[in-house]
Amino acid sequence: MDLRDYLRVLRRGWALILAFVLVGIALGVGLTLATTKVYQASTQVFVASTSSDTTADAAQGNTFTQARVQSYVSIATSPGVTRAVIKALGLHLSDQQLAAKISADAPLNTVLINLHVTDHDPAQAARLANQVADRFNYYVERTDNNQASGKPLVELTTIHPAAVPSAPVTPNKVLNLGLGLILGLLVGIGVAVLREVLDNTMKGPEDFEELGLPVLAYVPFDKRTSSTPIAFRSDLHGARSEAFRQLRTNLQFVDVDHPPRIIAVTSAISGEGKTTSAINLAAALAEAGSRVCLIEADLRRPSIAKALGLVGDVGFTTVVIGKAPVETVLQNAGRNLSVLTSGPIPPNPSELLLSRHSKQVIAEIATKVDYTIIDTPPLLPVTDGAEIATIADATLLVHRAAKTSRDQAVRSIAALDKVGRRPVGVILNMITRGMSKYDYQYGYYYSTYRPESANGGKRLSATNGNRRAGAASNVAASDVAASDEVASDVAPSGVAPSGVAPSDVAASDVAASDGKERARVRHQQ
């Protein structure tokens, strides 16, 4: 990892780092509140030599005093001082307990001694400090004297009596909060980096290069996907729409000699967005003018009919068991796009998909359209996806960025390798903005081109067939309004199974007369 990778990790893990910082600060606050307040009162004593009759004596006495004051410091906590203070103030303390409250220091090359006394009561700390200074001065003068004459060698004077302290010395709020912030920041950064190092999810092209697969599309996360599965409907020139256009382009280079016409779309596990990817790939191909049929071969948890607002009671399984011809079951979902939903869920999906009739149905549809897109079940839970891959010309794997693990990706590729159908590429889905290294934000927005402005601000609806009340289909994005023209030879206009109203043919956002404007926009892309 280089510096930019570390910066990217920090940006992606900013929420985690912030959480640890807040926890560190909270610990600092808790420590501050839990610590008993201690106040410190200080006095300062001046030490002077008594033998200073002449200037020479004064200089010599000053040198003598400077040498002695370093020894006087230890006298401050001696029993001679502590016992006298306890007796004078009537304290219920032992010599050792009072000595623990007293500290002293003497700055070098001075004749000053600083005495400090701590206590939980600020007034008591000041009284103790002044009493300690008085007893200290008396004890030093009596101890350090001329034995012959009994005259003290030094004279001690308190020059700064102790005052009642206004603030405690402990707890130190600034120190506790600062240490908590720094500790939380360091732990948060460490966890973020460690999580990145231990993260085995698939996040970028280099992860798939090790597996020998190219990434054909980077699809950004869009919260509107659940309500509007087709990207072209929510934002015609948004990042998600452009991602599927890029996928459409990249598919042209998969096999130049034998371009794939039957394309299976699958994933390792559920929840990776394979169904919406299949829908949008079909819509992107239809947008380019190709005739496309989207087949829902996920016979365990079908969702295309619900997503697109189509009839799900009849479909692929209906045709396979011979209850209806394929022409009567296909539903239009926009210009050039037909959809064959799953139909009734069978009790034996794997056997049904492996049947010769299933292959014949798919082959029949493929002969009448340019592209056949098959939505299959995920590879790891069931074998259905691998079985469909044997029918397809190419298989696309959909993996969710930063969610699909490397083991799941390897196992899904191995499942296809076992049936001799190695995937041609990967769709890296649901890329978040935090993964800026692979976040393709195209920003294709045109202020002068708005689909709703066509035809006086009203969208054109299809005229082939009666509209089902309250059923508005999500449709493939197309820049030309749908008329009575049929999506493909397989799905003639107005044809539907007996007793089932035909699905709404998607109304395009732009009138056909607006072709010049459409051509200009496509040229700019």
Side-chain angles (χ1 to χ4, degrees), residues 86-387:
I86 292 173
K87 183 177 180 180
L89 297 179
L91 303 176
H92 299 287
L93 297 174
S94 64
D95 292 346
Q96 291 79 10
Q97 289 174 330
L98 180 58
K101 295 174 178 287
I102 303 171
S103 62
D105 63 83
L108 293 175
N109 301 323
T110 68
V111 290
L112 299 174
I113 298 176
N114 299 315
L115 300 174
H116 312 285
V117 178
T118 57
D119 195 87
H120 301 306
D121 184 354
Q124 179 70 356
R127 286 195 299 271
L128 286 174
N130 288 324
Q131 190 64 35
V132 167
D134 292 341
R135 297 303 173 181
F136 174 75
N137 295 348
Y138 173 77
Y139 189 79
V140 170
E141 290 177 355
R142 193 184 67 175
T143 302
D144 200 1
N145 57 51
N146 189 331
Q147 295 295 332
S149 62
K151 180 181 178 181
L153 296 177
V154 292
E155 181 180 5
L156 281 73
T157 304
T158 301
I159 59 176
H160 288 298
V164 178
S166 60
V169 291
T170 57
N172 190 327
K173 298 179 181 179
V174 176
L175 179 62
N176 289 344
L177 294 179
L179 288 177
L181 186 149
I182 294 174
L183 180 62
L185 182 63
L186 293 178
V187 173
I189 293 175
V191 172
V193 173
L194 183 62
R195 185 180 66 173
E196 180 69 18
V197 172
L198 298 179
D199 186 9
N200 67 340
T201 58
M202 312 301 284
K203 296 182 288 295
E206 67 278 359
D207 297 324
F208 293 99
E209 286 175 1
E210 299 175 1
L211 305 180
L213 290 181
V215 177
L216 301 180
Y218 303 88
V219 183
F221 174 79
D222 190 344
K223 60 183 179 181
R224 297 170 293 183
T225 301
S226 58
S227 59
T228 311
I230 297 181
F232 306 94
R233 293 291 294 174
S234 60
D235 192 349
L236 187 60
H237 299 291
R240 196 159 65 103
S241 302
E242 295 299 334
F244 286 106
R245 291 190 180 103
Q246 185 66 42
L247 173 62
R248 179 185 67 197
T249 302
N250 288 338
L251 282 175
Q252 300 176 12
F253 302 96
V254 167
D255 190 344
V256 178
D257 295 330
H258 303 89
R261 299 302 180 189
I262 303 176
I263 302 172
V265 180
T266 187
S267 62
I269 57 176
S270 61
E272 297 189 90
K274 65 173 183 61
T275 298
T276 55
S277 297
I279 293 173
N280 281 280
L281 173 58
L285 292 169
E287 181 195 43
S290 300
R291 294 175 302 166
V292 183
C293 182
L294 174 62
I295 301 177
E296 185 173 28
D298 189 346
L299 304 183
R300 298 176 187 268
R301 297 178 61 182
S303 58
I304 289 181
K306 181 179 179 181
L308 299 181
L310 302 176
V311 177
D313 297 334
V314 292
F316 183 67
T317 56
T318 309
V319 177
V320 172
I321 63 177
K323 282 195 173 183
V326 66
E327 293 83 0
T328 63
V329 176
L330 284 172
Q331 302 177 62
N332 289 337
R335 181 180 176 84
N336 297 327
L337 178 60
S338 298
V339 178
L340 181 62
T341 58
S342 66
I345 299 177
N348 55 342
S350 296
E351 290 75 8
L352 191 68
L353 291 173
L354 278 175
S355 66
R356 181 170 53 85
H357 198 186
S358 293
K359 298 178 181 179
Q360 290 176 348
V361 170
I362 295 175
E364 179 185 353
I365 295 174
T367 59
K368 298 179 181 180
V369 295
D370 298 319
Y371 290 98
T372 303
I373 308 300
I374 308 175
D375 176 36
T376 75
L379 294 169
L380 300 187
V382 294
T383 61
D384 304 6
E387 293 167 357

